[in-house]
C-alpha cells in the first residue's frame, strides 16, 4: 500500500466550491488516522478553510489527525501545515504586482475577444488574485453550481481562452481547472511544483503516493501529476473518492 494519499479538491472531495459533505469529512478524518494526506488545489487558503478544515472539525477530527494533513494552496505554490494547534504557512511563491496585472489583463482580453466575458452586476469577481496565481472564473465565484456545470462542460471555451491568453502573455502557463476556471501562473508552478515540495517534506518518492483527481486528461490541472509517474485514480465526483477511501480503510482495519 502507498505511504501518502493526495487529493484534488473540486469534484474530487466535494461539489465545486462547496464544503466537503459530512460523509466525506468523516471518511477523510478517519483516513488521516492512517496516512499523511495532502489536498492540492488552485483555490485560496480561506476556501480551504471553508471547504475542508471546518467540515473536518465538525466531523470531530482530532489534533493528531489534522497534523497528518498537508494543504497545498494555489496548486502548491503556497504550503500550510498544522503546528502547535494552528495552520502555519511554510512558503508562498507570490507573484509580483506587475506579473499579476499582466496575467489578469491577458485573461480578460482573451475572454472578451472570444465573446465569453460575462459582465457581473453583483459585485462578484471574475478575475481573482490568489497571490501566487491568477484565477479566471467565467461566471464569478458565487455563481450556482448548476450554472457553472452548464457553462463549459467539455472545456472547449476555457481551452480557447487559455490558448489566446497564452498568446497574449507568452511567458506564463495557463491551465483549465474546476468547472469554469482557468489558472494562470509562472511557468512550472503547477501541481508538479506542489507535489515535488510535498515529496521533499515527507521524504517520499512518486511511487509512494496515490493521487485522486477528476481532471487527469491532457490539459486538465491534474494531468501534470499523471506525467510525474504518480499512480492516479480518476474520479468523476466525490462519491467515487469516498467509495475508494472506504475500501482503503477496510484494508487497514
Amino acid at each position: 500500500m502507498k505511504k501518502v494519499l493526495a487529493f484534488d479538491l473540486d469534484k474530487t472531495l466535494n461539489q465545486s466550491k462547496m464544503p466537503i459533505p459530512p460523509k466525506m469529512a468523516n471518511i477523510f478524518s478517519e483516513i488521516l488516522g492512517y496516512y499523511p494526506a495532502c489536498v492540492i488545489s488552485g483555490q485560496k487558503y480561506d476556501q480551504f478553510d471553508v471547504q475542508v478544515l471546518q467540515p473536518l472539525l465538525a466531523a470531530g477530527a482530532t489534533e493528531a489527525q489534522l497534523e497528518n494533513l498537508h494543504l497545498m494552496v494555489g496548486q502548491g505554490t503556497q504550503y500550510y501545515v498544522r503546528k502547535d494547534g494552528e495552520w502555519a504557512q511554510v512558503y508562498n511563491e507570490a507573484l509580483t504586482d506587475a506579473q499579476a496585472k499582466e496575467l489578469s489583463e491577458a485573461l480578460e482580453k482573451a475572454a472578451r475577444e472570444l465573446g465569453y466575458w460575462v459582465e457581473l452586476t453583483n459585485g462578484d469577481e471574475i478575475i481573482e488574485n490568489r497571490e501566487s496565481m491568477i484565477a479566471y472564473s467565467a461566471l464569478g465565484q458565487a455563481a450556482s453550481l448548476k450554472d457553472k456545470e452548464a457553462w463549459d462542460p467539455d472545456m472547449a471555451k476555457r481551452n480557447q481562452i487559455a490558448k489566446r491568453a497564452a498568446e497574449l502573455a507568452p511567458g506564463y502557463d495557463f491551465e483549465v481547472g474546476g468547472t469554469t476556471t482557468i489558472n494562470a501562473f509562472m511557468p512550472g508552478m503547477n501541481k508538479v511544483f506542489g507535489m515535488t515540495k510535498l515529496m521533499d517534506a515527507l521524504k517520499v518518492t512518486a511511487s509512494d503516493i496515490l493521487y485522486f483527481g477528476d481532471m487527469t486528461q491532457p490539459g486538465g490541472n491534474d494531468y501534470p501529476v499523471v506525467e510525474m509517474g504518480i499512480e492516479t485514480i480518476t474520479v468523476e465526483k466525490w462519491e467515487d473518492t469516498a467509495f475508494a477511501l472506504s475500501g482503503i480503510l477496510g484494508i487497514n482495519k
Side-chain angles (χ1 to χ4, degrees):
M1 183 55 201
K2 302 294 185 178
K3 295 179 181 178
V4 178
L5 302 181
F7 305 85
D8 174 47
L9 182 51
D10 275 358
K11 297 174 68 176
T12 299
L13 296 177
N14 64 349
Q15 291 184 310
S16 179
K17 292 289 180 73
M18 300 295 291
I20 61 175
K23 179 180 178 180
M24 175 57 78
N26 288 327
I27 293 172
F28 201 86
S29 295
E30 197 169 351
I31 278 288
L32 289 170
Y34 293 98
Y35 299 97
C38 167
V39 180
I40 182 167
S41 168
Q43 299 197 43
K44 298 190 298 185
Y45 174 79
D46 60 357
Q47 286 298 312
F48 273 73
D49 184 43
V50 170
Q51 296 177 40
V52 180
L53 301 180
Q54 295 305 317
L56 289 178
L57 290 172
T62 66
E63 189 61 30
Q65 289 170 330
L66 293 176
E67 288 176 358
N68 246 356
L69 179 58
H70 299 257
L71 304 179
M72 287 288 178
V73 176
Q75 308 268 60
T77 52
Q78 301 171 43
Y79 179 28
Y80 291 80
V81 296
R82 190 75 170 176
K83 185 176 181 181
D84 299 327
E86 302 288 342
W87 288 101
Q89 187 181 78
V90 179
Y91 63 75
N92 180 0
E93 301 286 340
L95 296 166
T96 66
D97 290 344
Q99 289 167 339
K101 183 175 184 291
E102 186 175 4
L103 287 169
S104 298
E105 290 177 348
L107 284 163
E108 180 171 347
K109 184 175 182 180
R112 287 186 182 279
E113 283 183 359
L114 292 163
Y116 296 138
W117 184 262
V118 177
E119 296 291 351
L120 301 180
T121 59
N122 60 356
D124 197 3
E125 290 182 309
I126 291 178
I127 305 289
E128 184 180 26
N129 186 341
R130 296 180 178 175
E131 295 186 37
S132 52
M133 61 183 291
I134 300 298
Y136 163 88
S137 297
L139 304 181
Q141 307 296 318
S144 72
L145 179 60
K146 181 180 178 181
D147 287 344
K148 287 181 179 181
E149 290 180 338
W151 188 77
D152 187 31
D154 60 359
M155 300 188 296
K157 295 176 182 176
R158 283 173 292 163
N159 282 329
Q160 291 177 53
I161 296 168
K163 180 181 178 180
R164 178 58 181 143
E167 293 170 350
L168 294 167
Y172 302 93
D173 287 347
F174 296 83
E175 187 177 69
V176 172
T179 51
T180 62
T181 302
I182 298 170
N183 298 319
F185 43 86
M186 294 296 294
M189 303 299 276
N190 56 17
K191 288 186 177 180
V192 172
F193 179 85
M195 295 304 293
T196 300
K197 289 290 189 180
L198 180 71
M199 289 189 289
D200 290 343
L202 297 180
K203 296 179 171 55
V204 297
T205 65
S207 63
D208 294 319
I209 301 173
L210 179 62
Y211 182 85
F212 295 79
D214 68 300
M215 299 193 74
T216 58
Q217 75 282 3
N221 68 357
D222 296 314
Y223 186 66
V225 181
V226 177
E227 292 187 300
M228 293 177 73
I230 292 174
E231 185 176 352
T232 302
I233 294 178
T234 302
V235 298
E236 294 184 358
K237 53 188 182 298
W238 71 265
E239 290 92 340
D240 298 337
T241 307
F243 180 79
L245 293 182
S246 296
I248 292 172
L249 286 173
I251 294 171
N252 284 277
K253 291 181 178 178

